[in-house]
Structures are given as C-alpha cells and as structure tokens.
C-alpha cells in the first residue's frame, strides 16, 4: 500500500515538473519570436556619402558624422526606427555604390539634375540652393560670364555646376580646373591659382564664415538654382523606400525641423529656396 502511494506521489511530481518545463520552453520561444519580429520590422538602410566636408557631410576618423545630412539622417532614423548604416566613398564613386546595390541611398546634399533622375529615384527636395561663380573681392576685371574668356575657372568635381561650366568653357573660351574638395579649390582661388570658382552659394558663404579674412565677390548672374534631394536605386524596393522616406521628409519640412538644420549649418533657412 505504501509503495503504491509513494509511486503515485512520484508520478504527480513528474507531471508538475514536465508541465513547468513546457511552460518555460513556450515562454522562451515567445520571447525569441518577438525579438526576431522586432529585428525584421526594423528596416536596414545602407547610406553612402563622401563625408568630405561640412556643412554638407563630414565623416571623422573615429566614425563621427557631422553636417546637414548627418543631422537629417539622425532625425530620420529616430522617427522611423530604421537601422542606418553609413558608408564612405569617394565623391565620384558614390553612384557606383548604388548601381551595384552596395548602398540604398546616396546622401551628399546632391542637386536634382535630369541625368540623375533618369537613372535614380529622387526624394522630395529638402532644401534649395544656387550655383554661382565667385572671384576674389579685390578682382575688378571679372564682372560678367564673358569676362572669363582666357581665364582659369575652378569647379568641384561632380557638383551640379560642373556640367554648366564645362559647356560654358567651350562657348566663352576658358580653362576648367576640377577639384575633389571645394575648400581646396577656394583656397586656390584666394591664392590666385585660378581666376574664378564655380560652387554653391551656401558652400561659399560657409567657407567665408569660417575664414573671415578671405572675401569673395559673387558675380551678379547665377548659373542655376536647384533643389537638393536624396537618390535611391530605381527598383521596386527602391520605390518603396523612397515613398517612406518622402513621408518623413515632408513631416520634417512641415514642422520646421529641416529649416532649423539648414539655419545651423548654412546660416539661413534654405527650405525657402526650394523650387516648386
């Protein structure tokens, strides 16, 4: 009798233990599944930038990212929950990163140009800018585009002004000198190594702000006004990403976030220059 009671008690203990073990296993699976779902829900976006200089995009050796696009994407990441990975590439290699699908978005304060929108999706513009030509303030000989005849005109390689300047050089008759970095080019202008320089208004203003002993004069006529946007692969996945990005960009424009970022880095609300 005692043996039967003892056996029954042992059986009951085993049932309870198995039930407890099963419960623990189920909870563990649920937690793991939840974590997996969270990871799946967080979109990973690989972003490529030259990271060569402020106010646009500067990647330091320690990985710190500063500039307009850095602050824009910190806000985008916060609002969307996306996992954003930043890659650095040479200025003229950025498009190859998109073409080979090693990156999802090109972010370098790029101007919207037909040759770019033919191949890539462009986001809605997040600010506007103008392409201009500058000369040293002391230069009184160059006042119009025609005065550039026989001169050396610098330009940043890959910038929106490059196409226009190269076309003008054939029509007017001046030499184009390309630079990989705008700061180097404008320093050369100040030193007299080139006679004029084509760049963006905001980049010139930023350079003079941080180099207050250097003064340039803008020619009265601008080369062109342009919108600035992000560029994405022309694929189904790219279209979906572009649509989602446009929603958050519009929110940031509407609530004044982008205006504050451009005011910080360019000393003016550049969203007011967006071309409709």
């Amino acid at each position: 009798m005692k043996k039967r009671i003892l056996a029954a008690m042992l059986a009951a203990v085993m049932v309870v233990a198995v039930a407890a073990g099963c419960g623990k296993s189920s909870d563990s699976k649920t937690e793991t599944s939840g974590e997996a779902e969270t990871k799946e829900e967080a979109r990973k976006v690989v972003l490529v930038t030259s990271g060569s200089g402020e106010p646009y995009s500067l990647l330091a050796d320690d990985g710190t990212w500063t500039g307009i696009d850095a602050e824009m994407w910190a806000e985008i990441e916060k609002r969307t929950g996306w996992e954003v990975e930043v890659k650095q590439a040479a200025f003229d290699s950025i498009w190859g990163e998109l073409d080979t699908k090693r990156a999802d978005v090109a972010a370098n304060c790029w101007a919207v140009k037909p040759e770019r929108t033919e191949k890539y999706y462009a986001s809605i513009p997040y600010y506007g800018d103008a392409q201009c030509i500058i000369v040293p303030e002391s230069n009184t000989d160059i006042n119009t585009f025609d005065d550039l005849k026989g001169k050396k005109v610098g330009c940043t390689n890959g910038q929106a002004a490059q196409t226009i300047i190269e076309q003008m050089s054939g029509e007017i008759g001046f030499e184009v000198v390309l630079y990989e970095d705008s700061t180097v080019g404008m320093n050369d202008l100040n030193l007299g190594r080139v006679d004029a320089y084509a760049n963006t208004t905001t980049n010139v203003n930023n350079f003079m702000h941080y180099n207050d002993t250097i003064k340039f004069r803008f020619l009265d006529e601008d080369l062109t006004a342009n919108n600035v946007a992000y560029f994405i692969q022309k694929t189904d996945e790219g279209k979906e990403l572009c649509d989602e990005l446009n929603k958050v960009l519009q929110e940031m424009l509407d609530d004044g976030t982008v205006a504050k970022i451009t005011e910080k880095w360019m000393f003016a609300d550049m969203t007011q220059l967006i071309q409709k």
Side-chain angles (χ1 to χ4, degrees), residues 17-32:
V18 169
C22 288
K24 184 176 181 180
S25 175
S26 176
D27 290 344
S28 176
K29 286 180 181 178
T30 302
E31 289 173 4
T32 303

Side-chain angles (χ1 to χ4, degrees), residues 5-185:
I5 293 173
L6 182 60
M9 290 174 64
L10 287 171
V13 169
M14 289 175 67
V15 169
V16 171
V18 169
C22 288
K24 184 176 181 180
S25 175
S26 176
D27 290 344
S28 176
K29 286 180 181 178
T30 302
E31 289 173 4
T32 303
S33 176
E35 290 172 2
E37 288 173 3
T38 302
K39 288 179 180 177
E40 287 176 2
E41 289 171 2
R43 176 194 287 274
K44 182 174 180 179
V45 176
V46 180
L47 179 151
V48 61
T49 182
S50 71
S52 58
E54 296 173 351
Y56 304 120
S57 174
L58 177 63
L59 273 171
D61 291 338
D62 63 359
T64 303
W65 191 24
T66 56
I68 294 170
D69 277 338
E71 294 203 15
M72 287 290 297
W73 277 89
E75 184 67 22
I76 291 168
E77 189 173 23
K78 183 172 74 174
R79 295 189 184 209
T80 60
W82 293 346
E83 180 188 344
V84 179
E85 177 188 338
V86 182
K87 294 179 64 177
Q88 188 171 20
F91 198 79
D92 55 358
S93 299
I94 288 177
W95 304 108
E97 294 292 311
L98 283 189
D99 294 340
T100 55
K101 298 186 178 180
R102 291 195 295 265
D104 304 304
V105 180
N108 215 80
C109 292
W110 292 106
V112 178
K113 302 198 297 182
E115 56 265 38
R116 290 174 182 166
T117 54
E118 284 174 7
K119 192 171 183 180
Y120 308 100
Y121 288 126
S123 71
I124 61 172
Y126 54 104
Y127 76 86
D129 206 347
Q131 303 291 327
C132 61
I133 293 180
I134 56 172
V135 295
E137 191 174 56
S138 58
N139 184 309
T140 58
D141 297 328
I142 300 175
N143 298 291
T144 67
F145 290 165
D146 287 338
D147 293 336
L148 296 171
K149 184 175 181 179
K151 307 295 185 182
K152 288 184 178 181
V153 181
C155 183
T156 307
N157 187 26
Q159 239 182 18
Q162 181 183 350
T163 304
I164 304 169
I165 283 294
E166 288 177 341
Q167 181 179 348
M168 287 174 58
S169 71
E171 297 169 354
I172 297 172
F174 58 78
E175 180 185 348
V176 177
V177 182
L178 294 178
Y179 291 86
E180 294 302 320
D181 185 272
S182 296
T183 300
V184 175

